[in-house]
Amino acid sequence: MPDQGHPDHQLKRIVLPSGKTIEVVYFEHPAAAPPEPEAAAPEAIVAETQSTDRLLHKCPDCESSLVYPVQWEEADEAHWQITLRCPNCERSEEGVFPQDLCDGFDDELERGTDALTRDYKRLMTANLAEEIDRFAKALEVDGILPSDF
């Protein structure tokens, strides 16, 4: 969202795939000519054309749904350059992907994070319940003495 209060720059808030929000300031210098867009690397062009018909969290080789971003940065206002890794087959890929595809990837990463958090809480609850049961049984059979503390 551009900041309208300052004519010499724009402020844009970006939500990264990790969920963190950063603010990017774009300064406009009327005296300077806009830079020529750099030609993307051939691999990046291939990844971008192929990326529109795939899901970033799915591995094209082994079809695992556990692909995650290793590194990412904004390529331009509508694209992200992302390095992806599949933990199952160790495939690594770098490409430039459109914002809408990255938004879907971010949603999938959030779902995965939520699932891991739920599983972690269940595991911690089960472990704590087991510890409480052992402690209660030790108290019942006088297995805990004052000298234990």
Side-chain angles (χ1 to χ4, degrees), residues 1-3 10-14 21-26 74 76-79 99:
M1 132 184 356
D3 182 66
Q10 292 181 347
L11 180 66
K12 182 177 179 182
R13 286 189 178 85
I14 298 173
T21 302
I22 61 170
E23 292 181 350
V24 178
V25 179
Y26 293 96
E74 188 176 24
D76 59 36
E77 290 185 15
H79 295 84
Q99 180 68 47

Side-chain angles (χ1 to χ4, degrees), residues 49-129:
T49 43
Q50 292 176 349
S51 68
T52 57
D53 61 345
R54 68 170 275 209
L55 299 172
L56 294 181
H57 71 280
K58 293 274 190 187
C59 178
D61 290 349
C62 71
E63 303 205 9
S64 167
S65 61
L66 300 175
V67 173
Y68 62 91
V70 175
Q71 182 178 354
W72 59 89
E73 65 180 75
E74 188 176 24
D76 59 36
E77 290 185 15
H79 295 84
W80 287 87
Q81 181 173 349
I82 304 175
T83 302
L84 301 169
R85 180 181 178 275
C86 175
N88 288 356
C89 68
E90 298 294 331
R91 181 181 196 273
S92 185
E93 169 188 6
E94 184 173 333
V96 177
F97 304 99
Q99 180 68 47
D100 59 339
L101 190 64
C102 293
D103 288 342
F105 185 39
D106 190 40
D107 292 342
E108 191 63 34
L109 290 172
E110 285 180 27
R111 278 191 286 277
T113 300
D114 291 344
L116 285 173
T117 302
R118 278 191 311 273
D119 288 348
Y120 174 75
K121 287 179 181 178
R122 282 187 206 130
L123 182 62
M124 290 301 297
T125 301
N127 285 344
L128 188 56

